[in-house]
Amino acid sequence: MKILGLDSSGLVAGVALVEDDVLVAEYATNYKKTHSQTLLPMLDELRRMVELDLDSLDAIAVASGPGSFTGLRIGSATAKGLGMALGKPLVEVPTLEGLAWNLCLWEGAVCPLMDARRGQVYGAAYEFRPGEELLPRELIPQMPVEIGELLERVNDLGKSVVFLGDGAAVYRDVIREKCRVRHCFAPSGSSSQRAASVAGLGALYFAQGRTVSAASHRPEYLRKSQAEQQAQRAADCRGES
């Protein structure tokens, strides 16, 4: 089974190929270039390096959101284009589930955080149970939320927790101050989105039949873009006047 993974939901863009539980290749960048400049060239380089016949893929796994609005659109458009051209299904991997899967052997709660700006994070919490194919069990659903509110929910879990993601770096001091359960932070190599995790978790979901057609795939933003929010506020003000 060959699963191609794509993730451009955050600061890191990456592509990866997993074949029968083996990570064959992964290419990731966290640099100043936009994902529209890097994602397809990385995919082409990976394809050439491992002599990948794209027709041999079983499915394309993509980080489906939440995340950067532009990044999600780029990843989704790339996955949809490949899926439609190749006639392959897509596997939608929720971004925070894919991020948490970096630490799927952690004994405790895994809390991925993405900086959503304006004092909010995209956050969630999961746990993994060995013997259950390392599928994430949802403790807190992914949501846009104030960091303080999320930490209250984490405290209520009563479990040791590891934080990861760019939101963990942004709010590290707040977490240290307000998190009352035993906690730590993932090392840099495990704290960012990885296409390898999207592909690996995507392979498990593919085996369960959790696929969609390329034509029907839509990213899950969880909240309106800043432009949409501004337009809504302007409409509300016009309605009040």
Side-chain angles (χ1 to χ4, degrees), residues 106-111 151 154-163 175-186:
W106 171 261
E107 295 182 0
V110 179
C111 186
L151 290 173
V154 169
N155 290 334
D156 289 342
L157 294 175
K159 298 176 178 287
S160 62
V161 59
V162 58
F163 293 95
I175 293 169
R176 284 174 170 161
E177 176 186 352
K178 296 186 177 182
C179 186
R180 298 189 301 272
V181 294
R182 183 178 179 185
H183 62 278
C184 63
F185 297 89

PDB file of all heavy atoms in Angstrom, residues 106-111 151 154-163 175-186:
ATOM      1  N   TRP A 106       3.461   8.455  23.068  1.00  0.00           N
ATOM      2  CA  TRP A 106       3.461   9.155  24.352  1.00  0.00           C
ATOM      3  C   TRP A 106       2.404   8.547  25.269  1.00  0.00           C
ATOM      4  O   TRP A 106       1.268   8.324  24.864  1.00  0.00           O
ATOM      5  CB  TRP A 106       3.184  10.641  24.135  1.00  0.00           C
ATOM      6  CG  TRP A 106       2.955  11.426  25.388  1.00  0.00           C
ATOM      7  CD1 TRP A 106       1.749  11.785  25.914  1.00  0.00           C
ATOM      8  CD2 TRP A 106       3.950  11.968  26.269  1.00  0.00           C
ATOM      9  NE1 TRP A 106       1.929  12.519  27.063  1.00  0.00           N
ATOM     10  CE2 TRP A 106       3.269  12.640  27.316  1.00  0.00           C
ATOM     11  CE3 TRP A 106       5.340  11.948  26.271  1.00  0.00           C
ATOM     12  CZ2 TRP A 106       3.938  13.288  28.339  1.00  0.00           C
ATOM     13  CZ3 TRP A 106       6.006  12.599  27.294  1.00  0.00           C
ATOM     14  CH2 TRP A 106       5.314  13.255  28.314  1.00  0.00           C
ATOM     15  N   GLU A 107       2.758   8.304  26.506  1.00  0.00           N
ATOM     16  CA  GLU A 107       1.809   7.763  27.482  1.00  0.00           C
ATOM     17  C   GLU A 107       1.198   8.920  28.273  1.00  0.00           C
ATOM     18  O   GLU A 107       1.727   9.349  29.287  1.00  0.00           O
ATOM     19  CB  GLU A 107       2.510   6.775  28.413  1.00  0.00           C
ATOM     20  CG  GLU A 107       3.026   5.529  27.707  1.00  0.00           C
ATOM     21  CD  GLU A 107       3.665   4.547  28.667  1.00  0.00           C
ATOM     22  OE1 GLU A 107       3.707   4.843  29.881  1.00  0.00           O
ATOM     23  OE2 GLU A 107       4.132   3.488  28.206  1.00  0.00           O
ATOM     24  N   GLY A 108       0.108   9.402  27.802  1.00  0.00           N
ATOM     25  CA  GLY A 108      -0.563  10.544  28.408  1.00  0.00           C
ATOM     26  C   GLY A 108      -1.305  11.290  27.328  1.00  0.00           C
ATOM     27  O   GLY A 108      -1.548  10.773  26.233  1.00  0.00           O
ATOM     28  N   ALA A 109      -1.698  12.518  27.613  1.00  0.00           N
ATOM     29  CA  ALA A 109      -2.411  13.329  26.637  1.00  0.00           C
ATOM     30  C   ALA A 109      -1.416  14.053  25.732  1.00  0.00           C
ATOM     31  O   ALA A 109      -0.349  14.483  26.170  1.00  0.00           O
ATOM     32  CB  ALA A 109      -3.306  14.333  27.343  1.00  0.00           C
ATOM     33  N   VAL A 110      -1.773  14.160  24.472  1.00  0.00           N
ATOM     34  CA  VAL A 110      -0.987  14.900  23.493  1.00  0.00           C
ATOM     35  C   VAL A 110      -1.815  16.101  23.071  1.00  0.00           C
ATOM     36  O   VAL A 110      -2.949  15.948  22.595  1.00  0.00           O
ATOM     37  CB  VAL A 110      -0.645  14.032  22.267  1.00  0.00           C
ATOM     38  CG1 VAL A 110       0.164  14.836  21.257  1.00  0.00           C
ATOM     39  CG2 VAL A 110       0.104  12.772  22.685  1.00  0.00           C
ATOM     40  N   CYS A 111      -1.269  17.298  23.240  1.00  0.00           N
ATOM     41  CA  CYS A 111      -2.020  18.528  22.991  1.00  0.00           C
ATOM     42  C   CYS A 111      -1.344  19.353  21.900  1.00  0.00           C
ATOM     43  O   CYS A 111      -0.413  20.126  22.177  1.00  0.00           O
ATOM     44  CB  CYS A 111      -2.135  19.348  24.275  1.00  0.00           C
ATOM     45  SG  CYS A 111      -3.191  20.811  24.119  1.00  0.00           S
ATOM     46  N   LEU A 151      -6.468  25.544  28.268  1.00  0.00           N
ATOM     47  CA  LEU A 151      -5.693  25.014  29.387  1.00  0.00           C
ATOM     48  C   LEU A 151      -6.598  24.584  30.534  1.00  0.00           C
ATOM     49  O   LEU A 151      -6.299  23.617  31.238  1.00  0.00           O
ATOM     50  CB  LEU A 151      -4.669  26.046  29.855  1.00  0.00           C
ATOM     51  CG  LEU A 151      -3.514  26.296  28.870  1.00  0.00           C
ATOM     52  CD1 LEU A 151      -2.647  27.450  29.341  1.00  0.00           C
ATOM     53  CD2 LEU A 151      -2.670  25.044  28.674  1.00  0.00           C
ATOM     54  N   VAL A 154      -7.638  21.212  29.566  1.00  0.00           N
ATOM     55  CA  VAL A 154      -6.522  20.281  29.739  1.00  0.00           C
ATOM     56  C   VAL A 154      -6.358  19.920  31.208  1.00  0.00           C
ATOM     57  O   VAL A 154      -6.159  18.751  31.564  1.00  0.00           O
ATOM     58  CB  VAL A 154      -5.219  20.883  29.171  1.00  0.00           C
ATOM     59  CG1 VAL A 154      -4.007  20.046  29.587  1.00  0.00           C
ATOM     60  CG2 VAL A 154      -5.293  20.972  27.652  1.00  0.00           C
ATOM     61  N   ASN A 155      -6.447  20.913  32.079  1.00  0.00           N
ATOM     62  CA  ASN A 155      -6.336  20.645  33.521  1.00  0.00           C
ATOM     63  C   ASN A 155      -7.417  19.682  33.993  1.00  0.00           C
ATOM     64  O   ASN A 155      -7.174  18.817  34.844  1.00  0.00           O
ATOM     65  CB  ASN A 155      -6.429  21.958  34.300  1.00  0.00           C
ATOM     66  CG  ASN A 155      -5.205  22.841  34.123  1.00  0.00           C
ATOM     67  OD1 ASN A 155      -4.108  22.360  33.851  1.00  0.00           O
ATOM     68  ND2 ASN A 155      -5.392  24.146  34.261  1.00  0.00           N
ATOM     69  N   ASP A 156      -8.612  19.816  33.441  1.00  0.00           N
ATOM     70  CA  ASP A 156      -9.723  18.954  33.839  1.00  0.00           C
ATOM     71  C   ASP A 156      -9.504  17.493  33.436  1.00  0.00           C
ATOM     72  O   ASP A 156     -10.132  16.599  34.006  1.00  0.00           O
ATOM     73  CB  ASP A 156     -11.035  19.456  33.227  1.00  0.00           C
ATOM     74  CG  ASP A 156     -11.521  20.759  33.850  1.00  0.00           C
ATOM     75  OD1 ASP A 156     -11.058  21.089  34.961  1.00  0.00           O
ATOM     76  OD2 ASP A 156     -12.346  21.449  33.216  1.00  0.00           O
ATOM     77  N   LEU A 157      -8.631  17.257  32.448  1.00  0.00           N
ATOM     78  CA  LEU A 157      -8.364  15.879  32.034  1.00  0.00           C
ATOM     79  C   LEU A 157      -7.656  15.096  33.139  1.00  0.00           C
ATOM     80  O   LEU A 157      -7.792  13.872  33.233  1.00  0.00           O
ATOM     81  CB  LEU A 157      -7.501  15.858  30.764  1.00  0.00           C
ATOM     82  CG  LEU A 157      -8.129  16.413  29.487  1.00  0.00           C
ATOM     83  CD1 LEU A 157      -7.101  16.425  28.363  1.00  0.00           C
ATOM     84  CD2 LEU A 157      -9.358  15.612  29.075  1.00  0.00           C
ATOM     85  N   GLY A 158      -6.840  15.804  33.931  1.00  0.00           N
ATOM     86  CA  GLY A 158      -6.118  15.142  35.013  1.00  0.00           C
ATOM     87  C   GLY A 158      -5.035  14.197  34.542  1.00  0.00           C
ATOM     88  O   GLY A 158      -4.661  13.269  35.261  1.00  0.00           O
ATOM     89  N   LYS A 159      -4.511  14.417  33.339  1.00  0.00           N
ATOM     90  CA  LYS A 159      -3.479  13.555  32.782  1.00  0.00           C
ATOM     91  C   LYS A 159      -2.202  14.360  32.540  1.00  0.00           C
ATOM     92  O   LYS A 159      -2.254  15.567  32.297  1.00  0.00           O
ATOM     93  CB  LYS A 159      -3.932  12.966  31.431  1.00  0.00           C
ATOM     94  CG  LYS A 159      -5.162  12.075  31.485  1.00  0.00           C
ATOM     95  CD  LYS A 159      -5.555  11.652  30.080  1.00  0.00           C
ATOM     96  CE  LYS A 159      -6.758  10.723  30.084  1.00  0.00           C
ATOM     97  NZ  LYS A 159      -6.390   9.373  30.584  1.00  0.00           N
ATOM     98  N   SER A 160      -1.072  13.672  32.570  1.00  0.00           N
ATOM     99  CA  SER A 160       0.150  14.325  32.118  1.00  0.00           C
ATOM    100  C   SER A 160      -0.003  14.624  30.632  1.00  0.00           C
ATOM    101  O   SER A 160      -0.677  13.892  29.899  1.00  0.00           O
ATOM    102  CB  SER A 160       1.362  13.424  32.356  1.00  0.00           C
ATOM    103  OG  SER A 160       1.247  12.216  31.623  1.00  0.00           O
ATOM    104  N   VAL A 161       0.595  15.717  30.187  1.00  0.00           N
ATOM    105  CA  VAL A 161       0.352  16.169  28.823  1.00  0.00           C
ATOM    106  C   VAL A 161       1.638  16.691  28.211  1.00  0.00           C
ATOM    107  O   VAL A 161       2.489  17.278  28.898  1.00  0.00           O
ATOM    108  CB  VAL A 161      -0.746  17.257  28.802  1.00  0.00           C
ATOM    109  CG1 VAL A 161      -0.344  18.453  29.662  1.00  0.00           C
ATOM    110  CG2 VAL A 161      -1.063  17.714  27.386  1.00  0.00           C
ATOM    111  N   VAL A 162       1.779  16.466  26.912  1.00  0.00           N
ATOM    112  CA  VAL A 162       2.885  17.044  26.155  1.00  0.00           C
ATOM    113  C   VAL A 162       2.285  18.004  25.136  1.00  0.00           C
ATOM    114  O   VAL A 162       1.297  17.688  24.470  1.00  0.00           O
ATOM    115  CB  VAL A 162       3.736  15.962  25.461  1.00  0.00           C
ATOM    116  CG1 VAL A 162       2.916  15.096  24.529  1.00  0.00           C
ATOM    117  CG2 VAL A 162       4.907  16.593  24.707  1.00  0.00           C
ATOM    118  N   PHE A 163       2.851  19.209  25.049  1.00  0.00           N
ATOM    119  CA  PHE A 163       2.398  20.227  24.113  1.00  0.00           C
ATOM    120  C   PHE A 163       3.340  20.269  22.917  1.00  0.00           C
ATOM    121  O   PHE A 163       4.562  20.138  23.063  1.00  0.00           O
ATOM    122  CB  PHE A 163       2.360  21.600  24.782  1.00  0.00           C
ATOM    123  CG  PHE A 163       1.331  21.726  25.873  1.00  0.00           C
ATOM    124  CD1 PHE A 163       1.690  21.512  27.205  1.00  0.00           C
ATOM    125  CD2 PHE A 163       0.023  22.053  25.583  1.00  0.00           C
ATOM    126  CE1 PHE A 163       0.746  21.628  28.221  1.00  0.00           C
ATOM    127  CE2 PHE A 163      -0.925  22.173  26.590  1.00  0.00           C
ATOM    128  CZ  PHE A 163      -0.563  21.957  27.910  1.00  0.00           C
ATOM    129  N   ILE A 175       1.481  28.635  29.224  1.00  0.00           N
ATOM    130  CA  ILE A 175       1.267  27.230  29.557  1.00  0.00           C
ATOM    131  C   ILE A 175       1.957  26.889  30.877  1.00  0.00           C
ATOM    132  O   ILE A 175       1.384  26.245  31.757  1.00  0.00           O
ATOM    133  CB  ILE A 175       1.775  26.330  28.417  1.00  0.00           C
ATOM    134  CG1 ILE A 175       0.910  26.512  27.170  1.00  0.00           C
ATOM    135  CG2 ILE A 175       1.778  24.861  28.850  1.00  0.00           C
ATOM    136  CD1 ILE A 175       1.472  25.872  25.924  1.00  0.00           C
ATOM    137  N   ARG A 176       3.185  27.338  31.035  1.00  0.00           N
ATOM    138  CA  ARG A 176       3.923  27.056  32.269  1.00  0.00           C
ATOM    139  C   ARG A 176       3.223  27.660  33.484  1.00  0.00           C
ATOM    140  O   ARG A 176       3.243  27.098  34.572  1.00  0.00           O
ATOM    141  CB  ARG A 176       5.344  27.601  32.144  1.00  0.00           C
ATOM    142  CG  ARG A 176       6.258  26.747  31.268  1.00  0.00           C
ATOM    143  CD  ARG A 176       7.588  27.408  31.077  1.00  0.00           C
ATOM    144  NE  ARG A 176       8.556  26.495  30.448  1.00  0.00           N
ATOM    145  CZ  ARG A 176       9.658  26.881  29.848  1.00  0.00           C
ATOM    146  NH1 ARG A 176       9.956  28.178  29.794  1.00  0.00           N
ATOM    147  NH2 ARG A 176      10.472  26.003  29.318  1.00  0.00           N
ATOM    148  N   GLU A 177       2.590  28.805  33.283  1.00  0.00           N
ATOM    149  CA  GLU A 177       1.931  29.490  34.397  1.00  0.00           C
ATOM    150  C   GLU A 177       0.587  28.858  34.748  1.00  0.00           C
ATOM    151  O   GLU A 177       0.247  28.712  35.932  1.00  0.00           O
ATOM    152  CB  GLU A 177       1.719  30.961  34.027  1.00  0.00           C
ATOM    153  CG  GLU A 177       0.960  31.760  35.080  1.00  0.00           C
ATOM    154  CD  GLU A 177       0.642  33.174  34.628  1.00  0.00           C
ATOM    155  OE1 GLU A 177       1.148  33.584  33.556  1.00  0.00           O
ATOM    156  OE2 GLU A 177      -0.127  33.849  35.328  1.00  0.00           O
ATOM    157  N   LYS A 178      -0.190  28.456  33.742  1.00  0.00           N
ATOM    158  CA  LYS A 178      -1.578  28.075  33.979  1.00  0.00           C
ATOM    159  C   LYS A 178      -1.862  26.578  33.895  1.00  0.00           C
ATOM    160  O   LYS A 178      -2.947  26.148  34.314  1.00  0.00           O
ATOM    161  CB  LYS A 178      -2.492  28.810  32.990  1.00  0.00           C
ATOM    162  CG  LYS A 178      -2.487  30.327  33.181  1.00  0.00           C
ATOM    163  CD  LYS A 178      -3.507  30.997  32.283  1.00  0.00           C
ATOM    164  CE  LYS A 178      -3.554  32.498  32.543  1.00  0.00           C
ATOM    165  NZ  LYS A 178      -4.591  33.178  31.714  1.00  0.00           N
ATOM    166  N   CYS A 179      -0.932  25.792  33.366  1.00  0.00           N
ATOM    167  CA  CYS A 179      -1.169  24.354  33.277  1.00  0.00           C
ATOM    168  C   CYS A 179      -0.819  23.720  34.623  1.00  0.00           C
ATOM    169  O   CYS A 179       0.333  23.768  35.063  1.00  0.00           O
ATOM    170  CB  CYS A 179      -0.341  23.730  32.157  1.00  0.00           C
ATOM    171  SG  CYS A 179      -0.719  21.992  31.876  1.00  0.00           S
ATOM    172  N   ARG A 180      -1.811  23.101  35.268  1.00  0.00           N
ATOM    173  CA  ARG A 180      -1.628  22.582  36.619  1.00  0.00           C
ATOM    174  C   ARG A 180      -1.325  21.075  36.643  1.00  0.00           C
ATOM    175  O   ARG A 180      -1.033  20.532  37.714  1.00  0.00           O
ATOM    176  CB  ARG A 180      -2.877  22.862  37.460  1.00  0.00           C
ATOM    177  CG  ARG A 180      -3.173  24.350  37.632  1.00  0.00           C
ATOM    178  CD  ARG A 180      -4.271  24.589  38.653  1.00  0.00           C
ATOM    179  NE  ARG A 180      -5.506  23.934  38.268  1.00  0.00           N
ATOM    180  CZ  ARG A 180      -6.431  24.480  37.495  1.00  0.00           C
ATOM    181  NH1 ARG A 180      -6.240  25.711  36.995  1.00  0.00           N
ATOM    182  NH2 ARG A 180      -7.539  23.832  37.206  1.00  0.00           N
ATOM    183  N   VAL A 181      -1.419  20.413  35.505  1.00  0.00           N
ATOM    184  CA  VAL A 181      -1.062  18.996  35.455  1.00  0.00           C
ATOM    185  C   VAL A 181       0.393  18.884  35.000  1.00  0.00           C
ATOM    186  O   VAL A 181       0.980  19.835  34.464  1.00  0.00           O
ATOM    187  CB  VAL A 181      -1.976  18.215  34.496  1.00  0.00           C
ATOM    188  CG1 VAL A 181      -3.410  18.200  35.019  1.00  0.00           C
ATOM    189  CG2 VAL A 181      -1.921  18.793  33.086  1.00  0.00           C
ATOM    190  N   ARG A 182       0.965  17.736  35.233  1.00  0.00           N
ATOM    191  CA  ARG A 182       2.350  17.514  34.813  1.00  0.00           C
ATOM    192  C   ARG A 182       2.428  17.663  33.296  1.00  0.00           C
ATOM    193  O   ARG A 182       1.629  17.080  32.557  1.00  0.00           O
ATOM    194  CB  ARG A 182       2.793  16.109  35.221  1.00  0.00           C
ATOM    195  CG  ARG A 182       4.254  15.808  34.895  1.00  0.00           C
ATOM    196  CD  ARG A 182       4.609  14.417  35.369  1.00  0.00           C
ATOM    197  NE  ARG A 182       5.998  14.099  35.049  1.00  0.00           N
ATOM    198  CZ  ARG A 182       6.557  12.921  35.260  1.00  0.00           C
ATOM    199  NH1 ARG A 182       5.830  11.923  35.794  1.00  0.00           N
ATOM    200  NH2 ARG A 182       7.820  12.718  34.952  1.00  0.00           N
ATOM    201  N   HIS A 183       3.387  18.461  32.830  1.00  0.00           N
ATOM    202  CA  HIS A 183       3.441  18.730  31.401  1.00  0.00           C
ATOM    203  C   HIS A 183       4.877  18.954  30.931  1.00  0.00           C
ATOM    204  O   HIS A 183       5.779  19.223  31.737  1.00  0.00           O
ATOM    205  CB  HIS A 183       2.589  19.955  31.040  1.00  0.00           C
ATOM    206  CG  HIS A 183       3.065  21.229  31.687  1.00  0.00           C
ATOM    207  ND1 HIS A 183       2.735  21.570  32.983  1.00  0.00           N
ATOM    208  CD2 HIS A 183       3.842  22.246  31.209  1.00  0.00           C
ATOM    209  CE1 HIS A 183       3.268  22.743  33.275  1.00  0.00           C
ATOM    210  NE2 HIS A 183       3.951  23.172  32.213  1.00  0.00           N
ATOM    211  N   CYS A 184       5.060  18.842  29.619  1.00  0.00           N
ATOM    212  CA  CYS A 184       6.359  19.115  28.997  1.00  0.00           C
ATOM    213  C   CYS A 184       6.099  19.543  27.561  1.00  0.00           C
ATOM    214  O   CYS A 184       4.954  19.581  27.101  1.00  0.00           O
ATOM    215  CB  CYS A 184       7.262  17.882  29.050  1.00  0.00           C
ATOM    216  SG  CYS A 184       6.631  16.455  28.142  1.00  0.00           S
ATOM    217  N   PHE A 185       7.176  19.885  26.859  1.00  0.00           N
ATOM    218  CA  PHE A 185       7.073  20.360  25.482  1.00  0.00           C
ATOM    219  C   PHE A 185       7.868  19.434  24.567  1.00  0.00           C
ATOM    220  O   PHE A 185       8.967  18.996  24.918  1.00  0.00           O
ATOM    221  CB  PHE A 185       7.602  21.791  25.368  1.00  0.00           C
ATOM    222  CG  PHE A 185       6.801  22.788  26.165  1.00  0.00           C
ATOM    223  CD1 PHE A 185       7.128  23.040  27.495  1.00  0.00           C
ATOM    224  CD2 PHE A 185       5.725  23.447  25.605  1.00  0.00           C
ATOM    225  CE1 PHE A 185       6.398  23.947  28.249  1.00  0.00           C
ATOM    226  CE2 PHE A 185       4.985  24.361  26.355  1.00  0.00           C
ATOM    227  CZ  PHE A 185       5.320  24.612  27.675  1.00  0.00           C
ATOM    228  N   ALA A 186       7.306  19.146  23.420  1.00  0.00           N
ATOM    229  CA  ALA A 186       7.975  18.262  22.465  1.00  0.00           C
ATOM    230  C   ALA A 186       9.248  18.912  21.941  1.00  0.00           C
ATOM    231  O   ALA A 186       9.314  20.139  21.787  1.00  0.00           O
ATOM    232  CB  ALA A 186       7.039  17.949  21.304  1.00  0.00           C
TER     233      ALA A 186
END
